Amino acid sequence: MVQVDLITGFLGAGKTTFLRRYVRYLVAQGHNVCILENDFGAVNVDAMLVQDLLGPNCDLETISGGCDCDTHQRRMRTKLIAMAMRGFDRVVVEPSGIFDVDEFFDVLRDDPLDRWYHIGNVIAIVDALLPETLSAQADYILASEAANAGRVVFSRSQLADAADMQAAQEHLRRALTACKCSRSFQPGEFLTKDWADLTDADFAALDCCGYRQASCEKLHFDEHRAFGSAYFLELGLPREQLERNIPSLFTDPACGHVLRVKGFVRDAGGWVELNATADGLTAAGIPNGQDVLIVIGEGLEKEKIEEKLKR
């Protein structure tokens, strides 16, 4: 049977960055891996960020676009059925940051997938600089994405002090309590190391962390209505202007509650990936990109966002 691992995490937590390291480790161990990427919107930005992993022992499939639960499950099921015929021994699923983890278990426990696949590891990525307060919907997603995890891996721990790390862990515990989740985490189930210091031994431990059975009280809301995205194609704005103006989107209520900005811009040196949350913006060169910027959040006002970007 093919083992399927799930990498979960709220918007901007760092799932793709972690997945790159994890998949490199799996390929180095001799596995034949396929990544299944599901981005929030019509342009699958995260899929572009794993292109350098692809080769004889690593391939990529994508599901793009926000859609209702039934449609999304059908798309995932169809992809997994096709992938089962291609000789992979490992599949790593990276869903969107507002993914309902129950879908993952529902799909894989359905015939015929339950005869071809078995669930391996669920790894939840949580930002060590998690904001002190989030909306009830965001807290619910945070909790539900971590509830079944074999391990929680904290991102940006190199930027967090002991108080930040403690606050992030307490926030996660509060979110679990708020949705009456049966899961509680022990200290050994948290990985708080700087990702630059992760070793093969760390990844070997993650590769056998498994998952946990947990139940939460459902918060009934439409994730794709509560969380929206604004797409800007072919903006044609210079990198310096975007880097200057993107941080202000997180502090201007007129733009809505912006949670994440990601995309690509071309400068004199080639394509650059932009990735921003309320805590800061990073820019990194990549081989290929597309002139697109995606803003994700709650109650977004696209015209106000575009106006601010173009100032």
Side-chain angles (χ1 to χ4, degrees):
M1 297 179 78
V2 180
Q3 177 173 317
V4 186
D5 295 345
L6 178 68
I7 312 296
T8 70
F10 192 56
L11 298 164
K15 295 185 300 297
T16 305
T17 302
F18 174 80
L19 176 139
R20 288 168 55 83
R21 297 280 304 276
Y22 186 61
V23 169
R24 283 191 192 280
Y25 168 80
L26 294 179
V27 171
Q29 302 309 303
H31 292 291
N32 192 11
V33 182
C34 190
I35 302 165
L36 180 56
E37 282 277 1
N38 172 210
D39 212 345
F40 181 63
V43 180
N44 198 322
V45 169
D46 293 338
M48 298 183 191
L49 301 178
V50 299
Q51 294 295 317
D52 62 319
L53 298 176
L54 306 185
N57 295 307
C58 184
D59 207 344
L60 171 70
E61 293 287 347
T62 64
I63 305 171
S64 292
C67 52
D68 63 87
C69 176
D70 290 342
T71 301
H72 187 271
Q73 287 195 28
R74 285 197 300 273
R75 289 179 180 177
M76 182 178 286
R77 186 178 292 109
T78 299
K79 286 286 187 182
L80 287 168
I81 287 172
M83 290 159 63
M85 313 297 179
R86 295 175 55 193
F88 304 111
D89 65 289
R90 297 292 290 270
V91 169
V92 181
V93 179
E94 183 193 358
S96 76
I98 58 167
F99 180 69
D100 184 344
V101 176
D102 286 346
E103 286 187 36
F104 175 74
F105 292 101
D106 290 344
V107 167
L108 286 165
R109 288 168 177 161
D110 250 4
D111 185 70
L113 295 178
D114 62 342
R115 292 185 277 116
W116 300 339
Y117 292 96
H118 72 95
I119 300 170
N121 307 304
V122 176
I123 301 169
I125 311 301
V126 174
D127 190 346
L129 299 177
L130 197 63
E132 185 175 347
T133 58
L134 293 171
S135 68
Q137 293 94 333
D139 265 344
Y140 170 76
I141 290 174
L142 171 70
S144 64
E145 289 178 336
N148 300 103
R151 295 286 295 276
V152 170
V153 179
F154 283 91
S155 61
R156 300 203 292 173
S157 56
Q158 76 279 11
L159 303 177
D161 59 24
D164 293 326
M165 190 65 69
Q166 183 65 29
Q169 293 176 19
E170 288 302 323
H171 188 152
L172 177 58
R173 292 187 178 103
R174 288 197 309 273
L176 290 164
T177 300
C179 63
K180 298 181 172 62
C181 184
S182 60
R183 179 69 187 279
S184 62
F185 283 94
Q186 303 305 312
E189 294 173 315
F190 290 143
L191 180 59
T192 60
K193 288 178 69 171
D194 183 339
W195 287 7
D197 297 329
L198 292 178
T199 65
D200 280 357
D202 294 316
F203 284 106
L206 290 168
D207 190 23
C208 61
C209 71
Y211 66 98
R212 309 289 185 271
Q213 296 286 349
S215 60
C216 296
E217 185 177 89
K218 282 280 189 182
L219 180 63
H220 293 287
F221 67 101
D222 185 338
E223 291 92 340
H224 296 283
R225 289 184 181 274
F227 300 93
S229 57
Y231 284 79
F232 302 94
L233 294 168
E234 306 295 336
L235 270 173
L237 299 177
R239 172 182 173 178
E240 294 76 11
Q241 182 174 340
L242 290 173
E243 290 184 336
R244 182 179 69 247
N245 291 341
I246 284 173
S248 65
L249 301 179
F250 295 93
T251 57
D252 188 348
C255 296
H257 184 201
V258 176
L259 294 166
R260 173 93 187 274
V261 180
K262 60 182 179 178
F264 307 102
V265 64
R266 186 191 285 276
D267 68 6
W271 285 105
V272 176
E273 174 211 352
L274 299 177
N275 199 334
T277 65
D279 288 306
L281 180 148
T282 61
I286 56 168
N288 298 294
Q290 178 181 351
D291 189 356
V292 59
L293 197 71
I294 304 173
V295 181
I296 304 171
E298 300 167 285
L300 299 179
E301 297 291 341
K302 185 173 181 179
E303 289 184 3
K304 294 291 186 182
I305 293 170
E306 185 169 8
E307 178 183 311
K308 207 163 188 68
L309 290 171
K310 290 184 173 180
R311 282 181 183 168

